[in-house]
Amino acid sequence: MGATTPVWSREQIAARILQGECLIIFNGHLLSIPQKWLDAHPGGSLSLLHFVGRDASDEIEANHSNETFQLVRRYSIGRVELTDGVWVPFTPPIATGWVRKPNSGGKMEWFKEATEVYSNEDSKFFPSSSILLAENNATSQPSSPTLASLKVPPSSLSLKIQARHSKAWRELHKRITAAGLYQTPYLTGYGPEIARYTLLAAASAVAYFHDWLILSAILLGLFWHQLVFTAHDLGHMGVTHDWTMDRIIATIIADFIGGLSIGWWVNNHNVHHLVTNHPAHDPDIQHMPFFAISPAFLDSIWSSYYKKTLKFDTFAKLFLSIQHKLFYIVMAFGRFNLYRNSYVYLYQKAFDTKRARGGTWAWKLEVAGIIFFWSWYGSLLYGCGSWQKALAYLVVSHVVTSPLHVQIVLSHFSMPSGDMGPIESFPHRQMRTTSDVICSESVEFIHGGLHLQVTHHLFPRLPRHNLRRASELVKQFAKEEGLTYAEFGFVDGNEEVIGTLRHVAEQVKIMGKVAKVEVQEAFDKKIADSDAKFKRTMKKGAHSKYL
């Protein structure tokens, strides 16, 4: 990134984006990301596509090590033209439903996968800056995005203030780095955890061989519950900080021991961290037809992650109307949904010739891990002695892990899900959409340290054993910048989530009542029209008779 590099104007950058280039701004420089790196990016292509035409400096710094920055420099093609020292963002094509796909001849071309839906109000759920997506049913459409589609919708946020937040976050990052908080506390952090894992696994095995099956299942569930926190750290490269080493250890924990795909989780979770709580883009809040935390989901929106419409159909209407009552029941069986997502991902990757970093070996290791998991766990179920005991063991061991699912959603389901647009800075978005779960330091191992989600979202690679120390600095940062640091007690957080779910459920019921009234009105009108027509006919018939 030398000083003699050319300066690109906004017009030039817009033109090249419309031609199909993946251009991202990083520290005042223009990065041109080739298709081969889009396909191979460890965080998935969506992590890059959501920042086309935007300044991703904070996101890149938060999610990558200093060593990775050396690779980033390879893609610099010059500097960008700033306005008052700030880059004025474009709307990424994917935000308006445009993606690049190979045509029949193998050449990449634009494809309109969804139709953009702009807000016609300015409310909590639908701010003026929001862009949602709907299934594209248009018979005729432009062949590519236009300059108008790159324009950012009006926003209530100040670009100048957002730039100030961004600058302050970078200074905070320097302080956290200087404090040594990126150094993994192997002995004091993971030492006690490994001892805890070993104790739970051994106790579960002892109980099983003594035929204390329910106790064994409970202990196995607690083992899985605790172990997943380390898999999470490894997925963020927060343990050894070496991608290959962290991925191998993560695969052993997640796939071989837990039966879940770490590859799926990383792909899903990275997108969640970048577009947190966006109804159309964040897979971690896209749980239709079981949950909807925003009325936006009642319009059958398109998911840019799952590449399908999240339909508000008859089943969804029924389920969502009572979602606040079924919340804990669904959460109890949440692990089964993780299996489904994991295996669909691995199946799709079997036909993907453009796998991300790790290539074939990472996928093969995961598949071997899943086979290994169901071999040993299947043997446990078979050894229970009867199908009734096996079913009880299966259900109990999985339900015990459910507090983890509840805890994670507490940090986001209770927070705003409106889209504030590309103008919103990284720190502002993370603090607006994320909250902490308050707990005593003596019992925070139950939450795996991930109850401090605000700090984790601001610094995803930070070892979670250092989050508490870092959170004090983050609170100071929030106070200085006038940002809200949201935190709830576990009970209060649950009440907030249930309240959010109840609000949407009430909207569903209101829609149902309105629909019934409209149907009744239409029926009454039809009857009235039929009566009037009949009377006219009879009157005409009687008149003809007397002629």
Side-chain angles (χ1 to χ4, degrees), residues 112-274:
K112 183 74 166 173
E113 68 175 7
T115 300
E116 65 272 34
V117 179
Y118 296 94
S119 174
N120 56 7
E121 55 181 287
D122 190 14
S123 64
K124 174 183 177 181
F125 292 106
F126 303 102
S128 59
S129 53
S130 69
I131 304 177
L132 296 177
L133 297 176
E135 188 172 5
N136 184 26
N137 295 316
T139 54
S140 61
Q141 58 190 26
S143 58
S144 64
T146 63
L147 188 60
S149 68
L150 296 182
K151 185 178 179 181
V152 174
S155 174
S156 60
L157 299 178
S158 163
L159 184 59
K160 183 178 180 180
I161 292 176
Q162 294 304 305
R164 190 193 73 198
H165 293 330
S166 178
K167 182 179 179 181
W169 175 85
R170 293 181 201 174
E171 291 301 317
L172 172 63
H173 196 190
K174 291 178 181 178
R175 292 202 299 274
I176 285 178
T177 302
L181 296 182
Y182 272 102
Q183 296 175 14
T184 303
Y186 294 110
L187 184 60
T188 59
Y190 287 105
E193 293 213 15
I194 292 174
R196 192 180 306 123
Y197 303 155
T198 304
L199 178 62
L200 288 170
S204 177
V206 170
Y208 183 86
F209 286 115
H210 281 80
D211 207 30
W212 303 331
L213 297 181
I214 297 302
L215 177 59
S216 174
I218 292 173
L219 292 169
L220 177 59
L222 292 175
F223 172 61
W224 283 339
H225 173 272
Q226 286 291 298
L227 202 58
V228 76
F229 296 126
T230 297
H232 171 275
D233 300 346
L234 291 158
H236 277 295
M237 287 179 58
V239 181
T240 72
H241 309 292
D242 176 80
W243 187 91
T244 302
M245 184 60 68
D246 277 359
R247 179 52 62 92
I248 291 174
I249 300 173
T251 303
I252 293 172
I253 292 175
D255 297 72
F256 283 77
I257 300 177
L260 303 174
S261 166
I262 190 64
W264 161 76
W265 181 84
V266 169
N267 185 279
N268 175 288
H269 199 65
N270 283 342
V271 175
H272 159 69
H273 266 268
L274 295 170

Side-chain angles (χ1 to χ4, degrees), residues 1 63 92 250 391 521:
M1 297 183 180
N63 290 281
L391 179 61
E521 289 178 348

Side-chain angles (χ1 to χ4, degrees), residues 187-406:
L187 184 60
T188 59
Y190 287 105
E193 293 213 15
I194 292 174
R196 192 180 306 123
Y197 303 155
T198 304
L199 178 62
L200 288 170
S204 177
V206 170
Y208 183 86
F209 286 115
H210 281 80
D211 207 30
W212 303 331
L213 297 181
I214 297 302
L215 177 59
S216 174
I218 292 173
L219 292 169
L220 177 59
L222 292 175
F223 172 61
W224 283 339
H225 173 272
Q226 286 291 298
L227 202 58
V228 76
F229 296 126
T230 297
H232 171 275
D233 300 346
L234 291 158
H236 277 295
M237 287 179 58
V239 181
T240 72
H241 309 292
D242 176 80
W243 187 91
T244 302
M245 184 60 68
D246 277 359
R247 179 52 62 92
I248 291 174
I249 300 173
T251 303
I252 293 172
I253 292 175
D255 297 72
F256 283 77
I257 300 177
L260 303 174
S261 166
I262 190 64
W264 161 76
W265 181 84
V266 169
N267 185 279
N268 175 288
H269 199 65
N270 283 342
V271 175
H272 159 69
H273 266 268
L274 295 170
V275 287
T276 312
N277 270 21
H278 193 301
H281 304 301
D282 181 2
D284 270 16
I285 66 168
Q286 295 176 340
H287 300 297
M288 292 287 284
F290 299 106
F291 294 129
I293 66 169
S294 167
F297 290 104
L298 308 185
D299 290 325
S300 294
I301 63 176
W302 173 267
S303 167
S304 65
Y305 181 85
Y306 291 111
K307 303 300 180 186
K308 68 178 182 179
T309 299
L310 306 174
K311 294 183 179 180
F312 182 56
D313 54 19
T314 302
F315 181 77
K317 291 176 184 177
L318 173 64
F319 209 97
L320 296 182
S321 66
I322 53 175
Q323 61 175 346
H324 53 298
K325 298 179 181 179
L326 299 177
F327 174 66
Y328 295 108
I329 297 175
V330 175
M331 287 290 103
F333 297 95
R335 194 174 181 91
F336 291 102
N337 185 52
L338 301 185
Y339 288 142
R340 183 185 68 84
N341 287 331
S342 293
Y343 304 155
V344 168
Y345 171 84
L346 291 175
Y347 173 78
Q348 293 173 341
K349 283 296 176 182
F351 302 96
D352 184 2
T353 58
K354 299 176 180 179
R355 295 180 188 143
R357 182 178 175 181
T360 304
W361 73 260
W363 179 83
K364 287 182 177 179
L365 186 61
E366 285 210 73
V367 172
I370 299 302
I371 294 173
F372 179 83
F373 168 79
W374 284 110
S375 296
W376 73 259
Y377 186 63
S379 297
L380 285 185
L381 297 178
Y382 183 78
C384 288
S386 69
W387 71 265
Q388 294 94 337
K389 290 181 179 180
L391 179 61
Y393 195 97
L394 174 73
V395 171
V396 172
S397 61
H398 283 71
V399 169
V400 168
T401 66
S402 62
L404 169 66
H405 309 303
V406 174

